[in-house]
């Protein structure tokens, strides 16, 4: 692909990628039943329950949820030190940036507003807190064929990009493993990195978003970019399945 034709589109995980820790996990360990929460998360990671079922069970462990206390906890949560630099970089070159999370909108909304990126396209699961402090999750972006994510990240990628775009996925966890395979380039750490290595999928390791900026700048200024043919085939198969 020639330089002048390039259109970069970034799809970014939230928990452990933008945020420095997995807030969705810590939320239930800190404010629910810690032991039961770890058991539920392990069942999901082992493929025994779906992501959607794990959220339902996790929310059920929380009693008398205290919004004020949770908001105070969220104010202590930090984001990747290079993320704001990365957003400024994307703004400079008019690159599209979308956040795709299998987490919950409550804490993502809070942190995105606090750190001035609530204007981005953000797709996640939803949660409602009733007057008794009970949590009820909902899943507006689920896919019946996909059990790995309650919010199907793959579909967001397919619905908002074309074969002409250069798609880039940035993530760290198990919920990123499906979606990342539908992007031309992958930035990975932790579980996503291990998955890519185990399945011989090309990726760039990174520690912070500042590392990503350096590599993307190299891609942006290259004369030609070779996109992975496997991505084109997976996208074609997904479109054919409907």
């Amino acid at each position: 692909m020639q330089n002048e034709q390039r259109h970069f589109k970034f799809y970014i995980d939230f928990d452990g990628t933008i945020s420095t820790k997995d807030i969705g996990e810590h939320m239930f360990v800190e404010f629910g039943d810690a032991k039961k929460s770890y058991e539920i998360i392990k069942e999901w990671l082992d493929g025994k329950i779906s992501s959607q079922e794990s959220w339902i069970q996790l929310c059920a462990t929380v009693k008398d949820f205290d919004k004020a206390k949770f908001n105070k906890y969220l104010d202590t949560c930090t984001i990747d030190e290079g993320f704001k630099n990365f957003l400024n970089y994307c703004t400079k070159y008019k690159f599209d940036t979308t956040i795709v999370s299998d987490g919950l909108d409550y804490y993502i909304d809070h942190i995105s507003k606090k750190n001035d990126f609530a204007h981005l396209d953000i797709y996640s699961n939803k949660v409602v807190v009733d007057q008794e402090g009970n949590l009820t999750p909902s899943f507006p972006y689920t896919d019946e064929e996909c059990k790995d994510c309650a919010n199907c990240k793959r579909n967001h990628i397919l619905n908002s990009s074309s074969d002409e775009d250069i798609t880039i996925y940035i993530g760290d966890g198990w919920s990123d493993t499906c979606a990342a395979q539908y992007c031309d380039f992958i930035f990975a750490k932790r579980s996503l990195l291990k998955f890519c290595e185990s399945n011989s999928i090309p990726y760039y390791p990174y520690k912070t978003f500042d590392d990503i900026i350096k590599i993307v700048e190299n891609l942006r200024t290259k004369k030609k970019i070779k996109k992975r043919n496997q991505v084109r085939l997976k996208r074609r198969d997904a479109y054919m399945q409907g």
Side-chain angles (χ1 to χ4, degrees):
M1 177 175 287
Q2 297 296 326
N3 192 293
E4 65 272 16
Q5 298 174 328
R6 293 173 190 169
H7 189 189
F8 287 76
K9 289 192 174 184
F10 292 90
Y11 297 91
I12 311 170
D13 172 54
F14 182 83
D15 283 287
T17 300
I18 295 174
S19 63
T20 54
K21 62 182 175 182
D22 191 322
I23 299 173
E25 179 178 316
H26 283 270
M27 173 181 180
F28 296 98
V29 172
E30 296 288 335
F31 294 88
D33 184 315
K35 182 180 178 182
K36 188 174 289 185
S37 294
Y38 280 127
E39 291 173 351
I40 294 167
I41 292 167
K42 186 176 186 304
E43 284 192 327
W44 170 63
L45 291 173
D46 290 343
K48 295 179 180 178
I49 60 174
S50 68
S51 177
Q52 187 170 331
E53 180 59 31
S54 73
W55 283 120
I56 293 170
Q57 291 187 26
L58 286 168
C59 285
T61 70
V62 179
K63 307 298 180 185
D64 301 318
F65 184 71
D66 188 329
K67 281 187 177 182
K69 187 176 179 181
F70 186 56
N71 290 345
K72 189 173 181 180
Y73 163 77
L74 289 178
D75 287 336
T76 69
C77 296
T78 56
I79 65 171
D80 184 290
E81 61 187 22
F83 185 61
K84 290 185 179 180
N85 292 335
F86 172 78
L87 290 183
N88 290 335
Y89 176 80
C90 289
T91 298
K92 178 179 179 180
Y93 292 106
K94 298 181 180 180
F95 295 155
D96 293 341
T97 308
T98 302
I99 296 173
V100 285
S101 171
D102 203 34
L104 302 173
D105 63 340
Y106 187 106
Y107 62 81
I108 296 173
D109 289 349
H110 184 101
I111 291 176
S112 65
K113 289 173 183 176
K114 178 187 174 185
N115 291 280
D116 301 320
F117 61 88
H119 61 284
L120 299 178
D121 289 331
I122 302 175
Y123 298 97
S124 68
N125 303 308
K126 311 292 184 183
V127 67
V128 172
V129 185
D130 66 21
Q131 293 183 344
E132 286 73 41
N134 298 309
L135 304 182
T136 303
S138 61
F139 312 100
Y141 307 113
T142 191
D143 186 310
E144 293 181 0
E145 301 299 321
C146 179
K147 302 300 181 184
D148 293 334
C149 296
N151 169 30
C152 186
K153 300 180 181 185
R154 182 203 70 170
N155 286 355
H156 295 301
I157 294 169
L158 295 177
N159 291 336
S160 62
S161 64
S162 69
D163 290 341
E164 286 70 41
D165 297 319
I166 298 173
T167 51
I168 300 177
Y169 196 89
I170 306 171
D172 81 304
W174 181 250
S175 69
D176 302 310
T177 56
C178 172
Q181 297 177 69
Y182 292 83
C183 287
D184 300 306
F185 297 96
I186 301 170
F187 287 90
K189 56 183 177 180
R190 291 191 277 269
S191 296
L192 178 58
L193 183 152
K194 292 177 181 177
F195 175 84
C196 289
E197 288 188 337
S198 299
N199 292 275
S200 301
I201 298 172
Y203 71 94
Y204 292 107
Y206 76 98
K207 291 184 178 179
T208 75
F209 276 82
D210 286 326
D211 300 327
I212 295 172
I213 293 171
K214 293 175 184 177
I215 297 171
V216 172
E217 180 61 14
N218 182 51
L219 291 173
R220 187 187 69 82
T221 55
K222 271 189 173 181
K223 289 185 178 181
K224 290 185 179 181
I225 289 181
K226 185 177 181 181
K227 299 171 69 174
R228 289 195 299 129
N229 188 53
Q230 187 62 29
V231 172
R232 183 183 64 82
L233 295 176
K234 288 185 74 69
R235 291 174 66 98
R236 185 193 64 183
D237 290 344
Y239 290 134
M240 291 178 67
Q241 291 171 9

